[in-house]
Amino acid sequence: MITSERRVLEEQVLSQHLPTNTFRFMDMSTNNPYIVMAVKTRNAKIYTIRINLDKFPTEIPKAFVTKMLYKKNGEKMDSPSHYMHTLGSENGWTRICHYDESEWTPQVSLYLVYLKCKLWLDMYEAHLITGIDICDYLTQTA
């Protein structure tokens, strides 16, 4: 679970890069702490993501777009998909893949998680236009 010292550090980093009204730590004194963040894509669409902090920073935090997303073909994004880099769904929200286990260390900041989620959302928006899977965008940029 995130310590109060780590939360202060994370909040400082986030405040340096994002307007303070775009993120909020929630339920920090419970067993299910999380942060909600507004993410604006290149297409100027705004999404809300939720990052669970119950095992952060020792484990990769679960990250969700706080609604069910759909592929260009109308298919629900509610199950794990290598092609779309999703990890299923919970509470009716699409869970997105933002870090590989081999890349994760406890030193990764929430700001870096935010950036990866933003990149994922930008690729999702591109998918809605082109129909190209997210894994194909990642292959093109690698």
Side-chain angles (χ1 to χ4, degrees):
M1 177 156 335
I2 188 170
T3 64
S4 56
E5 295 82 12
R6 178 69 183 253
R7 178 195 168 170
V8 169
L9 289 172
E10 294 290 346
E11 201 160 4
Q12 289 171 347
V13 171
L14 290 169
S15 296
Q16 289 174 1
H17 299 286
L18 302 170
T20 55
N21 66 344
T22 62
F23 64 91
R24 174 174 275 168
F25 287 90
M26 306 289 290
D27 292 347
M28 296 307 289
S29 60
T30 72
N31 290 331
N32 298 304
Y34 61 96
I35 184 171
V36 290
M37 306 177 85
V39 181
K40 187 175 184 179
T41 64
R42 288 182 179 184
N43 293 343
K45 184 151 185 188
I46 297 177
Y47 292 88
T48 303
I49 59 170
R50 173 184 166 138
I51 301 169
N52 290 354
L53 303 175
D54 54 327
K55 297 177 181 172
F56 179 82
T58 55
E59 293 182 24
I60 300 170
K62 291 181 179 181
F64 301 90
V65 180
T66 60
K67 67 180 189 174
M68 182 55 62
L69 300 178
Y70 294 84
K71 293 172 65 174
K72 181 179 169 89
N73 68 7
E75 184 181 327
K76 218 185 243 195
M77 297 175 70
D78 63 349
S79 58
S81 170
H82 163 75
Y83 299 103
M84 296 304 289
H85 281 254
T86 57
L87 298 169
S89 66
E90 291 179 29
N91 303 311
W93 303 335
T94 300
R95 182 176 169 200
I96 62 176
C97 179
H98 56 88
Y99 263 92
D100 185 86
E101 285 186 31
S102 65
E103 298 174 336
W104 185 260
T105 71
Q107 288 72 41
V108 174
S109 71
L110 288 174
Y111 180 65
L112 290 178
V113 174
Y114 163 87
L115 288 176
K116 289 218 175 189
C117 291
K118 181 183 181 332
L119 177 62
W120 189 97
L121 286 165
D122 284 332
M123 290 184 289
Y124 170 70
E125 286 286 312
H127 161 79
L128 293 178
I129 296 166
T130 66
I132 296 172
D133 292 338
I134 288 176
C135 72
D136 292 332
Y137 285 111
L138 291 170
T139 302
Q140 292 173 10
T141 60

